[in-house]
Amino acid sequence: MRELFLASGGGALGLFTAISRLKAVHGRIVRPLEEAGLELLAQHLDGVDVSTLIEMFRAEPDSCLLGTDAVRDGVDVPGRALRLIAFDRVPWPRPDLRHKARREHFGKRQYDEMLTRLRLRQAFGRLVRRGDDRGVFVLLDSRMPSRLYGAFPEGVEPKRVGLAEALAETRDFLAG
């Protein structure tokens, strides 16, 4: 995630499916990003409510923000201030009691996949808010099944690439 944020020059949103991973990544990338002149904001760490964090992120186009589902679902940052979304893992539903009951009632695996596609669609929708918005969406999980590709809009062709290629394509796309 650090290298992706550096490749985009900021304007990056890192989304996590677990708070513990968000905190661990924050600890590893905060200093290198600061040294590169990129401010790193983080849900669950900065002691600031989500709406204020998003306002701060929107106001500084080269900042980066780490968050979980509340950020994924609540971000409206059109323009250059959001040009990269990096998702740590496929956002499968958590198997709590409520989910297990709904899963049984609504079709088991198909229900899980429907929820996951909706979460991916929601996250991708944060990236393109206006007709002139451009950005890169990276899922850092090699276990994404191709049957979830329907989460993305028509014309968006997901590619499986290694990290080095993802970094190069991010730099090239955002420079163009």
CSV table of all heavy atoms in Angstrom, one decimal, residues 103-126:
chain,number,residue,atom,x,y,z
A,103,ARG,N,-27.8,-15.7,5.4
A,103,ARG,CA,-27.1,-16.5,4.4
A,103,ARG,C,-27.9,-17.8,4.2
A,103,ARG,O,-28.1,-18.2,3.0
A,103,ARG,CB,-25.7,-16.9,4.9
A,103,ARG,CG,-24.8,-17.6,3.9
A,103,ARG,CD,-23.4,-17.8,4.5
A,103,ARG,NE,-22.5,-18.2,3.5
A,103,ARG,CZ,-22.3,-19.5,3.1
A,103,ARG,NH1,-23.0,-20.4,3.7
A,103,ARG,NH2,-21.4,-19.7,2.2
A,104,GLU,N,-28.4,-18.4,5.2
A,104,GLU,CA,-29.2,-19.7,5.1
A,104,GLU,C,-30.5,-19.4,4.3
A,104,GLU,O,-30.9,-20.1,3.5
A,104,GLU,CB,-29.5,-20.2,6.5
A,104,GLU,CG,-28.4,-21.1,7.0
A,104,GLU,CD,-28.1,-22.3,6.2
A,104,GLU,OE1,-29.0,-23.0,5.7
A,104,GLU,OE2,-26.8,-22.5,5.9
A,105,HIS,N,-31.1,-18.3,4.6
A,105,HIS,CA,-32.4,-17.9,4.0
A,105,HIS,C,-32.3,-17.4,2.6
A,105,HIS,O,-33.1,-17.7,1.8
A,105,HIS,CB,-33.1,-16.8,4.9
A,105,HIS,CG,-34.4,-16.5,4.4
A,105,HIS,ND1,-35.5,-17.3,4.6
A,105,HIS,CD2,-34.9,-15.4,3.8
A,105,HIS,CE1,-36.6,-16.7,4.1
A,105,HIS,NE2,-36.2,-15.5,3.6
A,106,PHE,N,-31.2,-16.7,2.3
A,106,PHE,CA,-31.1,-16.1,0.9
A,106,PHE,C,-30.1,-16.7,-0.1
A,106,PHE,O,-29.8,-16.1,-1.1
A,106,PHE,CB,-30.7,-14.6,1.1
A,106,PHE,CG,-31.7,-13.8,1.8
A,106,PHE,CD1,-31.5,-13.2,3.0
A,106,PHE,CD2,-32.9,-13.5,1.2
A,106,PHE,CE1,-32.5,-12.4,3.6
A,106,PHE,CE2,-33.9,-12.8,1.8
A,106,PHE,CZ,-33.7,-12.2,3.0
A,107,GLY,N,-29.7,-17.9,0.2
A,107,GLY,CA,-28.9,-18.6,-0.8
A,107,GLY,C,-27.5,-18.9,-0.6
A,107,GLY,O,-26.7,-19.1,-1.6
A,108,LYS,N,-27.0,-18.9,0.6
A,108,LYS,CA,-25.7,-19.3,1.0
A,108,LYS,C,-24.6,-18.6,0.2
A,108,LYS,O,-24.5,-17.4,0.3
A,108,LYS,CB,-25.5,-20.8,0.9
A,108,LYS,CG,-26.5,-21.5,1.8
A,108,LYS,CD,-26.3,-23.0,1.8
A,108,LYS,CE,-27.3,-23.5,2.8
A,108,LYS,NZ,-27.6,-24.9,2.7
A,109,ARG,N,-23.8,-19.3,-0.6
A,109,ARG,CA,-22.7,-18.6,-1.3
A,109,ARG,C,-23.1,-17.5,-2.2
A,109,ARG,O,-22.5,-16.5,-2.3
A,109,ARG,CB,-21.9,-19.7,-2.1
A,109,ARG,CG,-20.6,-19.1,-2.7
A,109,ARG,CD,-19.8,-20.1,-3.4
A,109,ARG,NE,-20.2,-20.0,-4.8
A,109,ARG,CZ,-19.6,-20.7,-5.8
A,109,ARG,NH1,-18.7,-21.6,-5.5
A,109,ARG,NH2,-20.0,-20.6,-7.0
A,110,GLN,N,-24.3,-17.7,-2.9
A,110,GLN,CA,-24.8,-16.6,-3.7
A,110,GLN,C,-25.0,-15.3,-2.9
A,110,GLN,O,-24.8,-14.2,-3.4
A,110,GLN,CB,-26.0,-17.0,-4.5
A,110,GLN,CG,-25.8,-18.1,-5.5
A,110,GLN,CD,-25.9,-19.5,-4.9
A,110,GLN,OE1,-26.0,-19.7,-3.7
A,110,GLN,NE2,-25.8,-20.5,-5.7
A,111,TYR,N,-25.5,-15.5,-1.7
A,111,TYR,CA,-25.8,-14.3,-0.9
A,111,TYR,C,-24.5,-13.6,-0.5
A,111,TYR,O,-24.4,-12.4,-0.6
A,111,TYR,CB,-26.5,-14.8,0.4
A,111,TYR,CG,-26.8,-13.6,1.4
A,111,TYR,CD1,-27.7,-12.6,1.0
A,111,TYR,CD2,-26.2,-13.6,2.6
A,111,TYR,CE1,-28.0,-11.6,1.9
A,111,TYR,CE2,-26.5,-12.6,3.5
A,111,TYR,CZ,-27.4,-11.6,3.2
A,111,TYR,OH,-27.6,-10.6,4.0
A,112,ASP,N,-23.5,-14.4,-0.1
A,112,ASP,CA,-22.2,-13.8,0.2
A,112,ASP,C,-21.6,-13.1,-1.0
A,112,ASP,O,-21.0,-12.0,-0.8
A,112,ASP,CB,-21.2,-14.9,0.7
A,112,ASP,CG,-21.5,-15.5,2.0
A,112,ASP,OD1,-22.3,-14.9,2.8
A,112,ASP,OD2,-20.9,-16.5,2.4
A,113,GLU,N,-21.7,-13.7,-2.1
A,113,GLU,CA,-21.1,-13.1,-3.3
A,113,GLU,C,-21.9,-11.8,-3.7
A,113,GLU,O,-21.3,-10.8,-4.1
A,113,GLU,CB,-21.1,-14.1,-4.5
A,113,GLU,CG,-20.1,-15.1,-4.2
A,113,GLU,CD,-20.0,-16.2,-5.3
A,113,GLU,OE1,-20.8,-16.1,-6.3
A,113,GLU,OE2,-19.2,-17.1,-5.2
A,114,MET,N,-23.2,-11.8,-3.5
A,114,MET,CA,-24.0,-10.6,-3.8
A,114,MET,C,-23.5,-9.4,-2.9
A,114,MET,O,-23.3,-8.3,-3.4
A,114,MET,CB,-25.5,-10.9,-3.6
A,114,MET,CG,-26.3,-9.6,-3.9
A,114,MET,SD,-28.0,-9.8,-3.2
A,114,MET,CE,-27.7,-9.8,-1.4
A,115,LEU,N,-23.4,-9.7,-1.6
A,115,LEU,CA,-22.9,-8.7,-0.7
A,115,LEU,C,-21.5,-8.2,-1.0
A,115,LEU,O,-21.2,-7.0,-1.0
A,115,LEU,CB,-22.9,-9.2,0.8
A,115,LEU,CG,-24.3,-9.5,1.4
A,115,LEU,CD1,-24.1,-10.1,2.8
A,115,LEU,CD2,-25.1,-8.2,1.5
A,116,THR,N,-20.7,-9.1,-1.4
A,116,THR,CA,-19.3,-8.7,-1.7
A,116,THR,C,-19.3,-7.9,-3.0
A,116,THR,O,-18.5,-6.9,-3.0
A,116,THR,CB,-18.4,-10.0,-1.9
A,116,THR,OG1,-18.5,-10.7,-0.6
A,116,THR,CG2,-17.0,-9.7,-2.2
A,117,ARG,N,-20.0,-8.3,-4.0
A,117,ARG,CA,-20.1,-7.5,-5.2
A,117,ARG,C,-20.6,-6.1,-4.9
A,117,ARG,O,-20.1,-5.1,-5.4
A,117,ARG,CB,-21.0,-8.1,-6.3
A,117,ARG,CG,-20.2,-9.2,-7.1
A,117,ARG,CD,-21.0,-9.6,-8.3
A,117,ARG,NE,-22.3,-10.2,-8.0
A,117,ARG,CZ,-22.4,-11.5,-7.7
A,117,ARG,NH1,-21.4,-12.3,-7.6
A,117,ARG,NH2,-23.6,-12.0,-7.4
A,118,LEU,N,-21.6,-6.0,-4.0
A,118,LEU,CA,-22.1,-4.6,-3.7
A,118,LEU,C,-21.1,-3.8,-3.0
A,118,LEU,O,-21.0,-2.6,-3.2
A,118,LEU,CB,-23.4,-4.8,-2.8
A,118,LEU,CG,-24.6,-5.3,-3.4
A,118,LEU,CD1,-25.7,-5.6,-2.4
A,118,LEU,CD2,-25.1,-4.3,-4.4
A,119,ARG,N,-20.3,-4.4,-2.1
A,119,ARG,CA,-19.2,-3.7,-1.4
A,119,ARG,C,-18.1,-3.2,-2.4
A,119,ARG,O,-17.6,-2.1,-2.3
A,119,ARG,CB,-18.6,-4.5,-0.3
A,119,ARG,CG,-19.5,-4.7,0.9
A,119,ARG,CD,-19.0,-5.7,1.9
A,119,ARG,NE,-20.0,-5.9,3.0
A,119,ARG,CZ,-19.9,-6.8,3.8
A,119,ARG,NH1,-19.0,-7.7,3.8
A,119,ARG,NH2,-20.8,-6.9,4.8
A,120,LEU,N,-17.8,-4.1,-3.3
A,120,LEU,CA,-16.8,-3.7,-4.3
A,120,LEU,C,-17.3,-2.6,-5.2
A,120,LEU,O,-16.6,-1.6,-5.5
A,120,LEU,CB,-16.4,-4.9,-5.1
A,120,LEU,CG,-15.5,-5.9,-4.4
A,120,LEU,CD1,-15.4,-7.2,-5.3
A,120,LEU,CD2,-14.1,-5.4,-4.1
A,121,ARG,N,-18.6,-2.7,-5.6
A,121,ARG,CA,-19.2,-1.7,-6.4
A,121,ARG,C,-19.3,-0.3,-5.7
A,121,ARG,O,-19.0,0.7,-6.3
A,121,ARG,CB,-20.6,-2.1,-6.8
A,121,ARG,CG,-21.3,-1.1,-7.7
A,121,ARG,CD,-22.7,-1.6,-8.2
A,121,ARG,NE,-22.5,-2.8,-9.0
A,121,ARG,CZ,-23.1,-4.0,-8.9
A,121,ARG,NH1,-24.0,-4.1,-8.0
A,121,ARG,NH2,-22.8,-5.0,-9.7
A,122,GLN,N,-19.6,-0.4,-4.4
A,122,GLN,CA,-19.7,0.8,-3.6
A,122,GLN,C,-18.3,1.5,-3.5
A,122,GLN,O,-18.1,2.7,-3.7
A,122,GLN,CB,-20.1,0.5,-2.2
A,122,GLN,CG,-20.1,1.6,-1.2
A,122,GLN,CD,-21.3,2.5,-1.4
A,122,GLN,OE1,-22.3,2.2,-2.1
A,122,GLN,NE2,-21.2,3.7,-0.8
A,123,ALA,N,-17.2,0.7,-3.3
A,123,ALA,CA,-15.9,1.2,-3.2
A,123,ALA,C,-15.4,1.8,-4.6
A,123,ALA,O,-14.9,2.9,-4.6
A,123,ALA,CB,-14.9,0.1,-2.8
A,124,PHE,N,-15.7,1.1,-5.6
A,124,PHE,CA,-15.3,1.6,-7.0
A,124,PHE,C,-16.1,2.8,-7.3
A,124,PHE,O,-15.5,3.8,-7.9
A,124,PHE,CB,-15.6,0.5,-8.0
A,124,PHE,CG,-15.1,0.9,-9.4
A,124,PHE,CD1,-13.8,0.5,-9.7
A,124,PHE,CD2,-15.8,1.6,-10.3
A,124,PHE,CE1,-13.2,0.9,-11.0
A,124,PHE,CE2,-15.3,1.9,-11.5
A,124,PHE,CZ,-14.0,1.6,-11.9
A,125,GLY,N,-17.3,2.9,-6.9
A,125,GLY,CA,-18.1,4.1,-7.1
A,125,GLY,C,-17.6,5.4,-6.4
A,125,GLY,O,-17.9,6.5,-6.8
A,126,ARG,N,-16.8,5.2,-5.4
A,126,ARG,CA,-16.1,6.3,-4.7
A,126,ARG,C,-15.1,7.0,-5.7
A,126,ARG,O,-14.8,8.2,-5.6
A,126,ARG,CB,-15.4,5.9,-3.5
A,126,ARG,CG,-16.2,5.2,-2.4
A,126,ARG,CD,-17.3,6.0,-1.8
A,126,ARG,NE,-18.5,5.7,-2.5
A,126,ARG,CZ,-19.6,6.4,-2.5
A,126,ARG,NH1,-19.7,7.5,-1.8
A,126,ARG,NH2,-20.7,6.0,-3.2
